[in-house]
Amino acid sequence: MSEHAMLDRIQTPADLKKLSAAEIKTLCAEIRDTLIETVSCNGGHLSSNLGVVELTVALHLIFDAPRDQIVWDVGHQCYVHKLLTGRAEQFHTLRTEGGVSGFPRPAESEYDTFIVGHSSTAVSAANGLAKAKKLTGDKGYVIAVMGDGAMTGGIAYEGLSNAGRSEDRLIVILNDNRMSINRNVGFVARHLAILRSRPRYVRVKNGFGAFVSHIPLVGKPLYSLLLEIKTKLKNALYKNSPIFEDMGFYYLGPVNGHSLSDLTRALRAAKNIERPVLLHVETVKGKGYGFAEQSPDTYHGVSGFDRETGETPSGGDSFSSVFGDTLCQLASEDRHICAITAAMQNGTGLGSFARRFPDRFFDVGIAEQHAVTFASGLSCNGMLPVFAVYSTFLQRSYDQILNDTAILGQHIVLAIDRAGIVPDDGETHQGIFDVSFLHTIPGVALYAPACYDELRIHLKQALYDEKGIAAVRYPRGGEGMVPQGYVTDYKPYTLFRAQGANLLLITYGRIFFNALAAVQKLACEGIRISILKLNRVLPLEEDSLRLAMEYSGVVFMEEGSRAGGMGEMLGSRLMESAYRGRYWSYAIEEFVPVCKTDAGLRREGLDAHGMEEAIRRALEDLSGQKEELWRATGSV
């Protein structure tokens, strides 16, 4: 007999509606067990999903997906939704190549309405979805589920401001796990919340308002007076509702997010209100797994753990930890250095900095745009700000990098974590576009360390050797196998010249070691290839361009987007310089799906074998070109 007999019965949300209250309670327990078992093996987001078990079940009990559309924000709290929408049998493949994605993915299921990997966007998307339904005569509902952490992102307020005025069938659920939103006051507030969420209350309230307004002479003034008294009383009891009601939402809550009866009652009431509703739901992050309840941040995003002991892998050094340790050392010597993060203190290795230098550490929440402009302000008054941010999230602050920093000539450092292919999280989290968009901004210096020692060197250079925006990009995880005797270099580039080589391989970052392995293997066959390693990728050194022109062929390899990348830039510069040789550029030309790092590099031809094959093809092309030239002229 299956350990999850109840969950095995759920193929679609329609099956959920056939269960009794006792069976649904059993189902919730089975869901939690499945979450803990799967995430302990595969890694992923545990605390947030344990906190929304009852909420997700209630949503699928009251609404009719996929006609009624659910948008999850950030998207990492969608695991329960996936279990209830036909993916329970494949759930063990979560976050593996070809398996169930860790984020909503419309290509995976019709129940996944919108792809969501970056925070605070759900209300804007839901606003558009609901408006389209109204315009096409679709009577379905749209529900946006957002965590209170998403409320630190500015686009959340842009979405709320517009959605509240829409008069559409839109319900925003604020999942408050007491991490960001103030708690409400006492028994009276909770009791009134239950009363306000009853469908009968909603009908009576609307009817009473219409009745009073139509009383001759005194109706409208009386209704305005009663409304004012009610608003003042409500504002005293509810700390959070006024801002939402000022935006046009009908506020419901707070509701116990682990009580199915309270949740279903409130959701039914929300359906009966013919305008946008904000339902405030209180949940416990990590609910049902003691270790996660005690340390919700630890189990928010975790790379597997022992479910019996709760122990997580120690991991050892990583680029993130080396960055954090190096910044701490530099900050102990220079009181001007400040560190900024956008809700990624531990992920970016800034935990020690936050403890040692609390006055110079700033977590701005999920507000990357603010972080850059804030850093520029710090710089303007003499500080040395370092903004540590994942590559994929830095994309959100392009305008601030350009307009609020570069044009002013302010000196800030961007520590770009998770650059290149990022394992497990898929398309929305790949760090492959930072080089492409940074190189469009005049005056940006960009370093790309291949190992820890280079990261230490480049971070110091970015702080003290550059004047404007200086960025250091590095990958997730460790440095891999660094060859014995490898010497780091302070120069913008390093040339590994092979005597007699007529082909030059140019690259940067961690894949340099793949290039080195490929060239060494070819050398064993007597094939000699030179390598030009870019340490400072931007600005491109004129000397490196001159060196490239000495070779009959140049192959450029980069772990980033081909469009707008360094390979494209170098090719253009070579053409402008009347380069007469052959040029090949290899980079990434797609949205990279969920994969492990090694598999992703192999997929894109950026592993040692892929580089070796690319070099062989280039040499064949050069050989063929010489043969054609001999036939045409009688000599080479």
Side-chain angles (χ1 to χ4, degrees):
M1 185 174 178
S2 170
E3 294 181 5
H4 301 138
M6 205 60 64
L7 182 57
D8 290 344
R9 292 169 56 182
I10 307 300
Q11 298 302 314
T12 71
D15 298 323
L16 183 65
K17 302 176 193 292
K18 303 172 186 175
L19 302 183
S20 66
E23 288 173 326
I24 290 176
K25 185 177 180 179
T26 300
L27 173 67
C28 290
E30 291 181 1
I31 289 172
R32 283 196 165 88
D33 186 68
T34 301
L35 292 173
I36 295 166
E37 181 61 33
T38 304
V39 177
S40 69
C41 295
N42 297 13
H45 295 92
L46 182 63
S47 297
S48 52
N49 284 285
L50 289 172
V52 298
V53 173
E54 287 82 8
L55 173 59
T56 311
V57 169
L59 281 169
H60 283 295
L61 280 171
I62 301 304
F63 294 96
D64 296 311
R67 182 192 178 189
D68 294 329
Q69 297 174 303
I70 305 172
V71 184
W72 298 90
D73 192 334
V74 167
H76 62 248
Q77 55 186 338
C78 71
Y79 294 4
V80 185
H81 164 78
K82 296 201 173 198
L83 286 169
L84 297 176
T85 53
R87 287 166 278 185
E89 192 174 331
Q90 295 82 36
F91 195 69
H92 67 280
T93 68
L94 180 72
R95 302 175 78 244
T96 62
E97 190 169 358
V100 174
S101 172
F103 293 88
R105 193 165 182 265
E108 181 180 288
S109 170
E110 64 177 337
Y111 292 97
D112 290 2
T113 302
F114 206 83
I115 192 163
V116 186
H118 291 186
S119 176
S120 313
T121 61
V123 178
S124 294
N127 186 193
L129 290 162
K131 182 58 66 180
K133 281 184 177 292
K134 185 172 184 178
L135 292 172
T136 57
D138 186 334
K139 299 298 184 181
Y141 292 84
V142 179
I143 307 97
V145 185
M146 62 190 303
D148 55 346
M151 293 292 290
T152 62
I155 189 176
Y157 296 93
E158 295 175 27
L160 287 166
S161 177
N162 283 277
R165 297 182 280 112
S166 67
E167 299 184 357
D168 298 328
R169 290 188 167 189
L170 170 64
I171 299 168
V172 176
I173 297 177
L174 174 58
N175 174 25
D176 175 7
N177 50 39
R178 302 178 180 86
M179 301 291 282
S180 298
I181 304 295
N182 291 331
R183 299 187 66 181
N184 289 274
V185 181
F187 166 78
V188 176
R190 291 195 297 272
H191 180 66
L192 289 179
I194 293 173
L195 291 178
R196 296 178 82 233
S197 62
R198 288 177 176 168
R200 186 170 179 272
Y201 167 85
V202 175
R203 291 194 299 270
V204 170
K205 174 180 177 292
N206 291 339
F208 177 76
F211 170 74
V212 171
S213 296
H214 285 86
I215 296 175
L217 300 178
V218 299
K220 290 185 179 180
L222 178 60
Y223 180 72
S224 297
L225 176 63
L226 292 173
L227 185 62
E228 182 180 354
I229 293 171
K230 186 206 79 166
T231 299
K232 288 182 178 179
L233 176 62
K234 182 183 66 179
N235 290 353
L237 292 168
Y238 297 93
K239 292 185 178 180
N240 304 308
S241 62
I243 185 173
F244 302 122
E245 295 206 339
D246 288 346
M247 289 178 173
F249 285 90
Y250 187 107
Y251 176 87
L252 289 176
V255 174
N256 181 352
H258 301 295
S259 167
L260 277 166
S261 59
D262 288 358
L263 285 167
T264 52
R265 182 189 303 114
L267 290 170
R268 287 193 185 97
K271 288 183 73 172
N272 288 332
I273 300 169
E274 293 298 319
R275 64 183 176 91
V277 176
L278 188 134
L279 173 59
H280 183 173
V281 175
E282 291 186 326
T283 61
V284 175
K285 201 169 183 180
K287 178 73 172 177
Y289 184 56
F291 299 111
E293 287 190 37
Q294 293 167 16
S295 304
D297 290 348
T298 301
Y299 295 88
H300 171 76
V302 63
S303 299
F305 58 93
D306 185 321
R307 68 171 297 174
E308 299 301 324
T309 66
E311 292 183 4
T312 56
S314 58
D317 283 341
S318 66
F319 276 97
S320 301
S321 67
V322 171
F323 157 74
D325 291 343
T326 305
L327 192 64
C328 281
Q329 180 185 343
L330 295 170
S332 67
E333 302 166 359
D334 187 344
R335 294 184 60 82
H336 293 89
I337 291 176
C338 298
I340 305 166
T341 182
M344 291 290 174
Q345 172 180 316
N346 294 323
T348 56
L350 289 176
S352 294
F353 193 103
R355 291 188 294 272
R356 291 181 59 184
F357 312 104
D359 292 343
R360 289 185 275 153
F361 172 76
F362 308 99
D363 186 343
V364 300
I366 304 172
E368 293 85 1
Q369 294 167 289
H370 165 70
V372 170
T373 304
F374 174 62
S376 186
L378 285 169
S379 173
C380 191
N381 273 354
M383 301 304 289
L384 273 176
V386 179
F387 176 31
V389 58
Y390 293 3
S391 171
T392 184
F393 300 139
L394 183 64
Q395 297 162 187
R396 312 183 86 177
S397 55
Y398 178 85
D399 184 65
Q400 287 67 38
I401 295 170
L402 177 63
N403 284 310
D404 299 342
T405 313
I407 292 176
L408 290 170
Q410 294 303 325
H411 178 42
I412 70 170
V413 175
L414 302 174
I416 307 175
D417 203 327
R418 271 68 166 173
I421 291 175
V422 178
D424 305 326
D425 285 334
E427 297 93 333
T428 58
H429 283 62
Q430 303 294 356
I432 59 177
F433 300 105
D434 53 275
V435 174
S436 294
F437 69 75
L438 285 175
H439 112 244
T440 66
I441 300 175
V444 171
L446 175 63
Y447 293 83
C451 61
Y452 297 157
D453 282 346
E454 289 182 349
L455 173 57
R456 296 182 181 103
I457 291 169
H458 293 172
L459 180 57
K460 192 169 184 179
Q461 289 179 305
L463 279 164
Y464 297 113
D465 293 353
E466 304 294 343
K467 292 183 179 180
I469 297 170
V472 184
R473 77 184 306 262
Y474 45 91
R476 180 180 180 182
E479 64 183 352
M481 293 297 294
V482 179
Q484 189 173 4
Y486 176 70
V487 179
T488 56
D489 206 327
Y490 286 82
K491 296 187 300 184
Y493 63 87
T494 307
L495 177 64
F496 299 83
R497 189 186 294 274
Q499 193 67 33
N502 68 341
L503 185 71
L504 177 68
L505 174 60
I506 306 179
T507 191
Y508 60 87
R510 68 172 165 192
I511 64 170
F512 161 72
F513 293 120
N514 293 344
L516 198 60
V519 167
Q520 288 173 343
K521 184 176 179 182
L522 290 166
C524 294
E525 303 176 24
I527 302 173
R528 298 186 178 278
I529 307 295
S530 294
I531 304 177
L532 181 64
K533 176 180 179 292
L534 302 179
N535 300 316
R536 190 179 70 178
V537 181
L538 291 170
L540 184 66
E541 290 289 319
E542 292 299 323
D543 280 353
S544 62
L545 187 67
R546 177 184 56 77
L547 287 168
M549 294 187 67
E550 296 176 4
Y551 290 82
S552 301
V554 175
V555 176
F556 198 103
M557 294 275 195
E558 64 182 316
E559 188 183 352
S561 172
R562 178 184 178 92
M566 288 302 298
E568 193 174 84
M569 175 196 278
L570 182 64
S572 175
R573 294 288 299 279
L574 286 171
M575 182 180 68
E576 291 170 359
S577 302
Y579 176 58
R580 299 177 65 85
R582 292 291 306 277
Y583 181 71
W584 300 266
S585 177
Y586 293 89
I588 299 171
E589 300 185 75
E590 62 176 343
F591 292 111
V592 181
V594 174
C595 59
K596 296 296 182 185
T597 303
D598 289 346
L601 292 174
R602 185 167 56 251
R603 173 192 178 101
E604 302 301 328
L606 299 174
D607 62 336
H609 176 72
M611 291 186 173
E612 178 192 339
E613 292 301 307
I615 291 169
R616 291 186 188 277
R617 290 193 298 271
L619 290 171
E620 288 176 5
D621 286 350
L622 285 177
S623 177
Q625 188 179 40
K626 287 184 177 181
E627 181 70 19
E628 290 176 10
L629 183 61
W630 182 84
R631 288 175 179 172
T633 65
S635 63
V636 176

